[in-house]
Amino acid sequence: MHAFPCGTLPLDFVGTLRARRNAAPLEKLASPEQLDAWFLESGMLDSGPGADETDLDIAVDLREAIYSLVAARLDGQPMPARAIAELNRHAAGLPVTLRLHPDGATRTGSVSQGLAALAREAVEILGGDDASLLRECGRPECTQVYLDRSRGHRREWCAMRTCGNRVKAATYRARQHGSADDN
């Protein structure tokens, strides 16, 4: 099961490698089946694209290219040319196929079509006004990136229900422990 705390699919896709700074980050795209599941759970596609090992390698390469571009933006550094070229190559791909039916619409496509959609949205974020809203979660163990659209742009965590609650609970416990030591 995948998490989508950002509300922005390319950044949620970057989050499929959790806790990047840990000695053993948690890979959520460890198999082609997990990549198919990500596309389904994200709502990008209504049926699994049938990913294989090559598709998985390509998807992970794109994910890491997006992350390197986001990290450069966060650090105020120039974006790496190789990552820009990778992102642009994918963004030029065919779009996901939308079809209207009497009972609704469907989204279908290949892995490359799904990756093209992610790449195009990442280009819009990184090359537009939203780039200034990029943030990384304030919980040290988390490396999820997100767009801070909060009023005042003071959001600290990728998601309040997970990282925010963990940080606040740890702070509370530390305060309680400290006051117990004072007695």
Side-chain angles (χ1 to χ4, degrees):
M1 186 128 156
H2 296 281
F4 300 89
C6 300
T8 306
L9 289 180
L11 300 181
D12 285 325
F13 190 65
V14 164
T16 59
L17 182 62
R18 302 245 175 92
R20 287 174 178 272
R21 288 185 289 270
N22 288 3
L26 177 60
E27 177 62 76
K28 300 298 281 185
L29 295 180
S31 71
E33 294 77 21
Q34 288 178 323
L35 179 59
D36 279 352
W38 191 90
F39 281 119
L40 290 169
E41 292 170 25
S42 71
M44 283 190 75
L45 299 173
D46 295 325
S47 60
D52 61 22
E53 290 293 334
T54 300
D55 293 326
L56 180 61
D57 291 343
I58 292 167
V60 168
D61 287 347
L62 175 61
R63 177 189 70 192
E64 295 310 304
I66 295 170
Y67 181 75
S68 71
L69 295 166
V70 168
R73 288 295 236 170
L74 289 170
D75 294 340
Q77 299 295 318
M79 293 189 291
R82 187 168 167 219
I84 290 172
E86 175 88 2
L87 185 64
N88 285 336
R89 186 173 58 76
H90 284 284
L94 293 172
V96 168
T97 303
L98 297 172
R99 283 204 165 60
L100 181 63
H101 306 282
D103 56 341
T106 57
R107 291 177 168 85
T108 58
S110 64
V111 170
S112 64
Q113 287 172 287
L115 295 177
L118 289 171
R120 279 191 289 278
E121 191 173 345
V123 167
E124 289 178 10
I125 292 167
L126 291 160
D129 293 339
D130 283 348
S132 66
L133 303 176
L134 285 166
R135 305 284 185 275
E136 187 173 58
C137 185
R139 187 169 73 95
E141 300 79 27
C142 183
T143 54
Q144 181 69 55
V145 290
Y146 60 91
L147 294 175
D148 181 3
R149 296 188 189 282
S150 66
R151 189 169 51 188
H153 304 291
R154 297 179 133 168
R155 183 173 159 189
E156 296 179 49
W157 306 290
C158 61
M160 184 60 198
R161 72 182 183 283
T162 54
C163 289
N165 282 339
R166 288 177 186 159
V167 170
K168 287 185 174 212
T171 302
Y172 175 79
R173 284 191 302 274
R175 243 190 346 261
Q176 294 303 313
H177 184 69
S179 62
D181 289 344
D182 293 342
N183 291 332

